Amino acid sequence: MVKIKLTTKVDSDVLVVGIGLKNKRLHIEPGSAQIDTNSLESTLTSMGVTGAADEVFKLPGKSTKLIVFTGLGNLDEPLSSETLRRAAGAAARNLAGNKAATFALPHKSVFELAAIAEGAALGAYTFTEFMGSKKSEQKAPLSQITVLSKFSDTNQAKDAIKRAEVIAEQTALVRDLINTPPSHLTPDSFCLRIKKEATKYGVKVEILNELALKKGGYGGIIGVGQGSANPPRLLRVSYTPSKFSKRFAFVGKGITFDTGGLALKPAQGMEAMKSDMSGAAAVIGAIFAIAQLKIPVAIDSWAPLAENMVSDTATRPSDVISIYGGKTVEVLNPDAEGRLVLADALIRAAEVGKKSGGLDGIVDVATLTGAQVVALGTRTSAVMTNNEAFSDQFLSAANIAGESFWPMPLPVELRASLDSPIADLANIGDRSGGMLVAGLFLKEFIDPQTPWLHLDIAGPAFNDKDAHGYTPVGGTGVALRSLVTLAELAVSQASKQ
Ligand code: BES
Ligand code: MN
Ligand code: ZN
């Protein structure tokens, strides 16, 4: 686990400073570190350094063993906190093998300081659990991050680095869960791992096994999980502080592996479907972070977990299943499984929320559709909603957190494509607008009075290209930061009312 501290003077062997382009010339931004930039700028220019984002360049230093330049890009415009977060992350990633580093990036506020601390901590992540004989050769990530800041003595700065530690710790948990292969992560082992983690945070855990799910009428989770030797689960983690101003439910898609079922996916790329539980991991990581930060909101995080497999017991195209609460669904395509497990969990989450006094909002998080990736690419997630104000609040949270989300519509005219001649609903509709059709399917399981967000993170959840900024290869942990920030925003809004 990475530790972060503040300082007003450089105290490690490694010093990280910013570099970028100002008036078309290479310019070093050493924050409050004292370095002779003039001669260095021309040397670095001769060496071909450009200062572009994601460029990290190391030189032997004078007062430190190593001086590390991390690209900030164009310095003629004001630096965004996300640029700082990414630059710190890129440097931290490139410093694996070193123990400690001091980050002297420029910042004008504690908010920007927080971004630097967070980016550095998020970049200090590696996943080596399954390296067998190669394990000893792997470089350990940075474990001590120091941020050089003139705000070091303020309480706000101290809170900010605590928060960054928590965000990094829980993001690492989310990434670990995503990266863990399905041979080692089943619905049951996911639950056991979370149950063990949960003891640290004073949250409550409830697990429904396959018998309880059958008895309770969770036809979506059972239907998707019935083709697998690893039976499904419904995991609930609850955080109820003694005082709270809002109550939310988070629901995350937890398919520990998605083969497509009898609508078998092509072999090429199927391996990435170990990430189909990213939504579940994100909602659990978020509630752990919220509990650690003692944010006064009550949260229930729900993870419907199943493995979507091919077998003689798998759901057949044309099977009809009964979602929790009684709505029937004709399963025309067993590869549209996420919406089925989410439907059960959404109804249950609303029922439990109602009993405990009503939900202020329900948010589902899912690697739901390939159409999301087609529409928005691999770095921007989608938000769909039945409540514009809630969506706007979430989008500001995402913006503050430095995660890219974009609003998408739920056009009523697409709804009819989900009609089934024999059941209440079919699980697939029009192919065009597939992301929106999936959102409309989920909307059928939402009480119109409850503000609801559907986050489709299919592209951004898993990075199968190169690492960049604070984002490693593999699980990214996307949505966690936005959910935590949403909880913080909801509290500050409530206190103003
Ligand atoms: N888990 C997939 C969606 C997905 C695709 C996530 C690519 C991440 C990357 C989901 O279960 C799925 O298979 N969706 C189908 C739905 C279709 C059958 C209506 C899809 O998008 O093709
Ligand atoms: Mn699928
Ligand atoms: Zn899936």
Side-chain angles (χ1 to χ4, degrees):
M1 205 180 78
V2 56
K3 287 265 160 235
I4 313 176
K5 63 179 198 205
L6 294 159
T7 189
T8 48
K9 67 174 209 299
V10 181
D11 66 351
S12 30
D13 285 346
V14 180
L15 174 65
V16 179
V17 299
I19 193 160
L21 269 194
K22 204 171 200 164
N23 293 323
K24 302 208 171 80
R25 291 187 47 169
L26 200 63
H27 179 79
I28 296 174
E29 284 281 2
S32 39
Q34 310 286 317
I35 57 170
D36 169 17
T37 58
N38 257 336
S39 65
L40 269 175
E41 281 165 357
S42 68
T43 310
L44 288 167
T45 307
S46 319
M47 293 175 99
V49 174
T50 68
D54 267 312
E55 186 182 52
V56 176
F57 197 84
K58 298 175 199 140
L59 282 181
K62 274 188 189 146
S63 54
T64 59
K65 188 176 82 185
L66 209 61
I67 178 158
V68 183
F69 301 90
T70 187
L72 296 169
N74 180 8
L75 294 172
D76 296 326
E77 278 163 32
L79 282 172
S80 74
S81 56
E82 177 61 6
T83 300
L84 292 167
R85 193 182 280 106
R86 289 183 190 179
R93 228 174 359 89
N94 280 280
L95 284 168
N98 293 274
K99 247 201 165 108
T102 301
F103 287 73
L105 297 178
H107 55 280
K108 294 197 178 69
S109 61
V110 171
F111 180 68
E112 290 179 355
L113 161 71
I116 294 166
E118 192 175 278
L122 289 170
Y125 172 84
T126 58
F127 184 72
T128 57
E129 195 181 331
F130 294 91
M131 296 279 182
S133 50
K134 285 199 299 187
K135 190 157 181 164
S136 58
E137 300 159 31
Q138 306 304 310
K139 293 176 180 166
L142 268 185
S143 56
Q144 176 64 63
I145 285 158
T146 305
V147 185
L148 185 71
S149 175
K150 64 174 183 194
F151 302 111
S152 285
D153 293 332
T154 67
N155 285 329
Q156 290 97 312
K158 286 169 193 161
D159 289 349
I161 60 162
K162 268 269 146 288
R163 184 183 184 281
E165 276 179 359
V166 168
I167 293 288
E169 181 186 353
Q170 297 308 336
T171 299
L173 171 67
V174 176
R175 290 171 177 174
D176 284 352
L177 287 165
I178 298 170
N179 293 334
T180 301
S183 49
H184 293 72
L185 190 76
T186 62
D188 182 53
S189 72
F190 187 113
C191 291
L192 297 180
R193 172 114 186 239
I194 297 307
K195 198 174 168 181
K196 199 171 149 210
E197 288 286 325
T199 57
K200 301 183 207 162
Y201 308 121
V203 293
K204 263 178 48 190
V205 174
E206 177 191 293
I207 299 162
L208 298 189
N209 66 14
E210 71 273 31
L211 296 175
L213 289 168
K214 247 179 230 154
K215 219 171 139 197
Y218 294 86
I221 301 173
I222 288 294
V224 173
Q226 72 188 28
S228 172
N230 298 307
R233 296 285 183 266
L234 177 60
L235 169 67
R236 172 189 176 194
V237 179
S238 314
Y239 167 60
T240 317
S242 51
K243 275 192 194 139
F244 59 88
S245 51
K246 298 273 167 175
R247 177 186 295 280
F248 294 114
F250 297 159
V251 181
K253 172 178 173 182
I255 301 299
T256 54
F257 196 73
D258 182 11
T259 64
L262 290 172
L264 191 63
K265 288 179 182 294
Q268 180 159 26
M270 198 199 279
E271 68 281 359
M273 285 301 120
K274 72 172 180 178
S275 67
D276 214 18
M277 33 52 71
S278 297
V283 299
I284 304 286
I287 196 173
F288 284 175
I290 289 167
Q292 267 183 299
L293 295 167
K294 300 193 166 58
I295 303 172
V297 289
I299 313 264
D300 267 323
S301 279
W302 298 85
L305 295 150
E307 192 178 46
N308 191 21
M309 296 295 278
V310 197
S311 82
D312 58 339
T313 58
T315 301
R316 294 153 291 245
S318 80
D319 276 357
V320 172
I321 60 174
S322 252
I323 301 299
Y324 185 74
K327 261 197 187 138
T328 58
V329 177
E330 183 185 14
V331 182
L332 292 178
N333 189 328
D335 197 11
E337 83 297 342
R339 59 197 76 181
L340 303 176
V341 300
L342 286 170
D344 272 350
L346 285 167
I347 298 276
R348 177 65 182 153
E351 181 183 74
V352 168
K354 199 163 193 177
K355 270 191 225 147
S356 23
L359 290 173
D360 294 297
I362 184 162
V363 185
D364 75 73
V365 187
T367 47
L368 206 60
T369 64
Q372 186 281 323
V373 197
V374 175
L376 294 172
T378 54
R379 296 205 192 171
T380 302
S381 306
V383 190
M384 284 149 269
T385 190
N386 63 355
N387 184 306
E388 293 302 321
F390 192 33
S391 171
D392 287 347
Q393 186 180 38
F394 177 81
L395 288 165
S396 8
N399 192 255
I400 293 167
E403 292 189 320
S404 175
F405 277 85
W406 201 256
M408 285 289 164
L410 292 172
V412 280
E413 63 275 16
L414 287 179
R415 166 60 189 83
S417 72
L418 286 164
D419 284 343
S420 159
I422 73 150
D424 290 333
L425 211 59
N427 80 325
I428 55 167
D430 265 358
R431 224 177 78 82
S432 32
M435 164 172 50
L436 320 178
V437 173
L440 285 163
F441 180 93
L442 296 178
K443 194 178 176 193
E444 293 295 310
F445 301 89
I446 299 293
D447 162 18
Q449 302 304 314
T450 308
W452 161 67
L453 303 175
H454 161 49
L455 312 181
D456 194 336
I457 59 168
F462 192 74
N463 177 22
D464 53 15
K465 302 191 190 78
D466 289 338
H468 56 90
Y470 51 80
T471 305
V473 173
T476 64
V478 74
L480 180 147
R481 285 186 282 136
S482 297
L483 291 173
V484 174
T485 311
L486 176 70
E488 289 167 333
L489 275 192
V491 170
S492 71
Q493 198 198 44
S495 70
K496 275 180 208 143
Q497 276 166 358

